[in-house]
Amino acid sequence: MSISRQVTRPNHSARSLARGLGWFSIGLGVVQLLAPRQVSRFIGMPGSEGMIRACGVREIATGIGILMADDPKPWIYGRVGGDALDLAGLGWSIEHGREPANAAIAAGAVAGITALDLSCAKALDAERVPVTEWDYSDRSGFAAGPEQVRGSVGAEFAAARAEPNGYSQPLH
């Protein structure tokens, strides 16, 4: 008799995407920490270097959290929240900044990364859904059981060899 049990399985592609997003966060955070003046000028918000550095620290923290955690899902949701803050700042820069086209390009890039973050979070959420796994180790695969089936294949081959063309004549 087969036995069923409820199990959860890791989503390896989602976890791989989470690792990639973690490394991306760290890389972006390092750029924001090391070159805040250039980033703020590019998006049309000169003088906001402190805010850019704070965003860099946030990016590095979430990246390290994703890479170090057994369950990266809360850190991925942290990225989604950070993306919302970034989009709000870029929206302000599009409306009031000195480089609205550059800010719009950056907002488009952030929106794309946000879509990846949300996709990853959704896939990681699906890991929590239990699936039914069946244990068939008690089955042989034979309808009558292995003891009754033993020798039947040999008998079938012998019967086929006895026929003139190796198979039975069709019945009319």
Side-chain angles (χ1 to χ4, degrees):
M1 171 173 207
S2 300
I3 301 169
S4 68
R5 62 186 176 129
Q6 296 290 320
V7 297
T8 57
R9 294 195 176 121
N11 185 335
H12 297 291
S13 61
R15 288 181 174 266
S16 179
L17 176 59
R19 277 191 303 279
L21 289 169
W23 284 112
F24 176 78
S25 277
I26 291 171
L28 180 60
V30 166
V31 169
Q32 290 174 327
L33 276 178
L34 297 180
R37 183 175 298 121
Q38 290 84 349
V39 172
S40 64
R41 272 190 295 185
F42 176 78
I43 61 173
M45 296 174 60
S48 60
E49 289 83 7
M51 182 184 68
I52 300 296
R53 279 193 188 101
C55 289
V57 169
R58 182 199 71 223
E59 289 287 348
I60 291 171
T62 56
I64 290 172
I66 289 168
L67 295 176
M68 299 295 289
D70 289 334
D71 180 14
K73 187 175 61 169
W75 294 100
I76 293 294
Y77 278 114
R79 277 193 48 81
V80 171
D83 292 344
L85 292 173
D86 293 343
L87 286 169
L90 289 167
W92 185 92
S93 182
I94 290 169
E95 291 292 320
H96 307 290
R98 295 181 185 170
E99 298 287 344
N102 288 350
I105 291 168
V110 171
I113 293 294
T114 303
L116 278 176
D117 290 340
L118 289 170
S119 172
C120 183
K122 183 178 179 185
L124 290 171
D125 278 339
E127 286 184 336
R128 304 277 184 222
V129 177
V131 295
T132 302
E133 184 177 85
W134 293 89
D135 178 12
Y136 293 107
S137 63
D138 62 336
R139 294 190 178 184
S140 67
F142 299 109
E147 288 75 27
Q148 288 84 12
V149 176
R150 266 196 194 95
S152 66
V153 173
E156 287 181 27
F157 280 130
R161 282 191 296 270
E163 295 296 324
N165 292 329
Y167 56 89
S168 317
Q169 297 296 324
L171 298 176
H172 297 279

